[in-house]
Amino acid sequence: SAVFLEPEPPRRGRGERNIVKDRCVTPSATACGGASSLKEGAFHANKCHHTFRKDLIHMKVILQQDVRGHGKKGQLVEVSDGYARNFLLPKKLAVTATAENVNTMKQQEKAKKAQEAAEKAEAEALSKKLEGIMVKIAAKSGEGGRLFGAVTGKEVSEALSAQHAITIPKTKLVLDEPIKSCGSYQIKAKLGYEVSGTIYVMVVEEK
C-alpha cells in the first residue's frame, strides 16, 4: 500500500532553528516496509510513526561588509539559509554566491592584491628616499639651546612637505616626546605594510 507523509508544524528547540520533523503515518509496520522517502532526503524506519529530522539548510554567500562571527568583507562563507535570507541579504551585508558573483569576487581579490603590492613598493621606495634627506627646523631657543616651545610631529610633517615635497601625516610619526632643545634627531615614520622609515631632523636656533 502507498505510504503517506504528514508534515508536523516546525518545531524550535534550544540552539535549533526551523527544524522540521516529518512523521510516517502508515497504518502498520508491515505496510511501511521499513522505508519512506522525502524530496529533501530519505529515512528508514522499522515501524510506523518513526520521526525524521532534516538538518538545517545552508547557503553560501559573499560578505559585502565585515560580519562579526562569520567573516570579513569579500570572504565566501556558509551560513544558515534563514540567517542569509532574513538578515544578511536584506541588509545588503552579503550577496548569494552565484557563479557571476564568485567571478566578480575573484577579480576584486586580484585587483586588491595588485594594489597592495604597488602601495607596499611605494612605501619601500619612500623609506629609501628618506635616508638621503635632512629636515631643518628653526626654533627660538635660550641658554644651552633649550627651546622656548617644542617641536612636535606637526612641525616635522609640515617641514618635510615644504622642504622635500614628501607628505607623511603627523599621526604616522613616532615621537616619544616633543623635541625641546636644538640638535639632531631621528624620527621613525610608519609607512604602512610593516614598512618604516627614518626622518633625520636638525633643530637649529632661529635667528
Side-chain angles (χ1 to χ4, degrees):
S1 61
V3 176
F4 299 92
L5 295 176
E6 179 181 81
E8 291 184 353
R11 297 175 57 183
R12 293 172 182 260
R14 181 174 297 178
E16 299 178 338
R17 296 181 181 177
N18 298 331
I19 295 178
V20 180
K21 301 188 77 174
D22 294 301
R23 182 182 298 277
C24 173
V25 294
T26 306
S28 68
T30 304
C32 179
S36 299
S37 63
L38 294 172
K39 288 184 179 180
E40 286 83 8
F43 69 89
H44 295 280
N46 54 19
K47 63 179 181 179
C48 296
H49 306 297
H50 178 79
T51 57
F52 169 72
R53 192 177 89 176
K54 293 182 290 186
D55 291 331
L56 290 172
I57 301 174
H58 285 74
M59 174 188 291
K60 290 184 177 180
V61 298
I62 302 170
L63 298 179
Q64 301 300 290
Q65 300 291 336
D66 293 352
V67 178
R68 181 179 296 182
H70 292 282
K72 294 187 175 296
K73 179 180 178 180
Q75 286 187 326
L76 176 66
V77 299
E78 186 173 299
V79 298
S80 68
D81 183 85
Y83 181 64
R85 296 188 184 281
N86 298 327
F87 182 74
L88 295 179
L89 299 180
K91 291 185 176 294
K92 298 183 179 180
L93 296 175
V95 295
T96 55
T98 61
E100 181 180 357
N101 288 338
V102 170
N103 183 60
T104 299
M105 177 192 72
K106 291 180 178 179
Q107 294 298 321
Q108 290 174 341
E109 287 180 347
K110 184 177 180 180
K112 182 180 179 181
K113 288 181 179 180
Q115 180 181 353
E116 290 176 346
E119 290 176 352
K120 183 176 182 180
E122 290 178 2
E124 291 172 340
L126 179 55
S127 177
K128 192 71 175 177
K129 185 176 181 179
L130 290 174
E131 294 177 1
I133 65 176
M134 173 72 72
V135 175
K136 294 182 179 180
I137 298 176
K140 293 181 179 181
S141 62
E143 186 178 351
R146 185 77 175 177
L147 301 183
F148 291 131
V151 174
T152 65
K154 179 177 181 293
E155 286 75 32
V156 174
S157 177
E158 291 174 350
L160 181 65
S161 177
Q163 297 172 25
H164 303 284
I166 296 175
T167 301
I168 299 178
K170 64 180 181 180
T171 54
K172 299 295 184 180
L173 305 182
V174 181
L175 280 80
D176 294 331
E177 59 182 18
I179 298 171
K180 297 181 179 180
S181 60
C182 294
S184 59
Y185 299 87
Q186 296 180 15
I187 300 174
K188 181 180 179 180
K190 296 181 179 180
L191 306 177
Y193 299 96
E194 299 184 351
V195 178
S196 63
T198 302
I199 301 175
Y200 297 91
V201 178
M202 176 66 73
V203 180
V204 298
E205 183 180 359
E206 185 179 78
K207 296 181 180 179

